[in-house]
Amino acid sequence: MNIVVLVKQVPDSGSERSLDSSDNTVARASADNVINEMDEYAIEEALTVKESQGGEVTVLTVGPAGATDAIRKALSMGADKAVHVTDDAIHGSCAIQTSAVIAAALSQLEYDLVICGAESTDGQVSVMPALLSERLGIPHLSGARKLTVDGSTLKVERQTDGGFWALEAQTPAIVSTWDTINEPRYPSFKGIMAAKKKPVSTVSLADIGVDASAVGLASATSQVLDFAGRPPKGEGVKVTDEGDGADKLVGYLAAQKIV
Amino acid sequence: MAEVLVLVEVAPDGSGVRKTTLEALTAARALGEPSAVVLGAPGTAASVKGALAEYGAAKVYVGESEDIDAYLVAPKAEVLAQLVAEKSPAAVVIPSTPEGKEIAGRLAIKTGSGFLTDVTDIAADGTATQVAFAGGTIVHSKVTTGTPIYTLRGNSVTPEPAPGAAAEEQVAVSISDAAKQTRVTDRVVEQKSDRPELTEAAIIVSGGRGVASAENFSVIEGLADSLGAAVGASRAAVDSGFYPHSFQVGQTGKTVSPQLYIAVGISGAIQHRAGMQTSKTIVAVNKDPEAPIFELADFGVVGDLNTVVPAATQQITARK
Ligand SMILES: Cc1cc2nc3c(=O)[nH]c(=O)nc-3n(C[C@H](O)[C@H](O)[C@H](O)COP(=O)(O)OP(=O)(O)OC[C@H]3O[C@@H](n4cnc5c(N)ncnc54)[C@H](O)[C@@H]3O)c2cc1C
Ligand SMILES: Nc1ncnc2c1ncn2[C@@H]1O[C@H](COP(=O)(O)O)[C@@H](O)[C@H]1O
């Protein structure tokens, strides 16, 4: 079973993040960029499926030239090879445009299964897999907390409020994973060394047959008009419990007319 | 007046519409006259028409078919796309749930439109407000292509009643094979709670790793019940098996925006903040005075939750 895992490099959610005031796009150059945490679960799941079914795991990312840390991480966890689509024209693309690029890149690969994270921590759009399913005409099994592969039949438990939905579809298909699906492995020293020798092919828009005018900020389907830091909250009150913590807490709630 | 399509979210237990629907109907009025779209198995519309009329739906488009229930998401997007083609609405507003976002994405591709997810407000000129980076940045955005599609984040708009004719119009539903690829073979409910739904609750009391055990979550539940609140949990609490995953608040759990959020034994990691930072009032109880949650809190108590919280619960109960 050949699997493509989609990974995205994003500004570290634990660091200061912002938009770039020159064009209102995510400030990637100044940020501490890391693999989207949610994609580690997708990689882990792909490796697990490969271990039971055989085949190859290919990492696919669309992003700036520097977006290689995410690829390295995936390869050192155990993925076999990577495709990095990078092109200056992509800068500022909206999710719809990015989905066209990913779809074009996917159509040059042989896959039975595409696995991706449920959302990226920068945009938190969580629609990429649905967009790809729509474009490629393949089924989407979304929000997986469990994936079972039985020949060409895929079964997923889709996480819901208070339970799950059981889903079933045939390959080729795209599965998006929640962080409840597994515990991503840490790359071993051997894995990190081996990753350095694994093939990474860097491709441009022309290589995958996407017209540069179809992507990028100028033709994006939505635009950020302006942004601002959230007004800082007024300094809160902090009290230390000296036997009166509950009194003060209830006093505060009463002052707010909550109790 | 321009017509705005609003996709109705029906409560899974058949008890009517979710509050998100009323919020969406209210937000849609900024752009034009809302028409509700009810999609589901035969019989779905019957339980929801009253509420739709009460919140200003001029029309109610009803698309009912077993196929909508039997296959995941894609059939709903297909029927909605058909309606967009027929009615040429000014915009489409959808509740921002995982399913809502998937529908929005598919609809955008089918109709050649742009979309904005998790918006907290929509202005008359179509400009939407979004909160980015775990609540730290406010963004104004606009769709520049096709029919604007918005998904509206729960609890960001206060539902306001308005009279609506709710004139029913049946939509002929025929689902293509392409939309029938992912079959829903079962829907399993693992836990049911009598407390308010997390995403709809006005008050939430959440417990973290500091609660220390599943049994001790009764301390959190006690305070929640004294306030008529929903119970939430941090991921560390969920991962430690103290509380079920469906109560997780944060980046990979629920995004909530209640009037009051009480964080108990929660440090306030960025991923947790992502899900609760827009709460109107934030209260924290934590024994570590340096816990980052205090940076957010309007009111913080540095103390042991095991003494502070039960005592507070008792006082609140005594006041009733
Ligand atoms: C991909 C990814 C997604 C994530 N998604 C989420 C998410 O959706 N939601 C989420 O919450 N987290 C999420 N996290 C995890 C997040 O990074 C933190 O690990 C988590 O929020 C910590 O939970 P906590 O505050 O309960 O635990 P801790 O950080 O361990 O904090 C426990 C707190 O309890 C206090 N405490 C201990 N005992 C007492 C006592 N007796 N009385 C009072 N206070 C006490 C301590 O001082 C401490 O501040 C995610 C992480 C990743 C990598
Ligand atoms: N530029 C990208 N390159 C590769 N994969 C992506 C990209 N953007 C999004 N994805 C995948 O789609 C998932 C959902 O992302 P999003 O819709 O941006 O929240 C992510 O977890 C990734 O697996």
Side-chain angles (χ1 to χ4, degrees), chain B residues 209 234-235 248-252 265 267 271-272 286 304-305:
Chain B
R209 200 201 307 270
S234 74
R235 173 157 151 189
Q248 182 177 318
V249 172
Q251 185 183 295
T252 54
S267 62
Q271 296 93 347
H272 188 76
N286 197 305
D304 190 330
L305 68 93

Side-chain angles (χ1 to χ4, degrees), chain A residues 11 21 31 99 107 127 132 149 151 156 158 172 206 222 235 237 240 243:
Chain A
S21 51
S99 73
S107 58
V127 287
L132 293 172
V149 179
V156 152
R158 168 188 165 99
S222 61
E235 187 73 5
V237 179
T240 301

Side-chain angles (χ1 to χ4, degrees), chain A residues 133 162 179 225-226 230 247, chain B residues 106 135 140 190 235 252 302 315:
Chain A
S133 162
D179 58 352
L225 305 174
D226 59 62
R230 238 165 90 81
D247 303 348
Chain B
R106 287 180 181 275
H140 291 116
E190 289 173 324
R235 173 157 151 189
T252 54
V302 180
Q315 289 189 26

Side-chain angles (χ1 to χ4, degrees), chain B residues 151-175:
Chain B
T151 74
L152 182 72
R153 180 183 277 203
N155 259 340
S156 32
V157 169
T158 309
E160 280 162 24
E168 189 170 321
E169 199 174 300
Q170 289 293 325
V171 181
V173 177
S174 87
I175 306 298

Side-chain angles (χ1 to χ4, degrees), chain B residues 195-300:
Chain B
R195 298 194 179 87
E197 175 63 35
L198 250 184
T199 49
E200 297 183 355
I203 305 178
I204 295 172
V205 183
S206 280
R209 200 201 307 270
V211 177
S213 70
E215 298 72 47
N216 207 35
F217 242 78
S218 60
V219 171
I220 304 296
E221 293 181 327
L223 179 58
D225 290 343
S226 75
L227 292 164
V231 173
S234 74
R235 173 157 151 189
V238 169
D239 283 352
S240 309
F242 302 168
Y243 224 65
H245 177 270
S246 53
F247 296 90
Q248 182 177 318
V249 172
Q251 185 183 295
T252 54
K254 299 274 160 56
T255 302
V256 300
S257 194
Q259 292 297 323
L260 172 65
Y261 188 89
I262 307 185
V264 181
I266 292 178
S267 62
I270 186 85
Q271 296 93 347
H272 188 76
R273 292 154 74 138
M276 47 67 74
Q277 193 153 23
T278 56
S279 305
K280 309 290 174 300
T281 300
I282 296 170
V283 169
V285 180
N286 197 305
K287 68 178 182 190
D288 173 10
E290 304 300 326
I293 191 76
F294 286 124
E295 292 162 21
L296 280 191
D298 298 282
F299 190 84

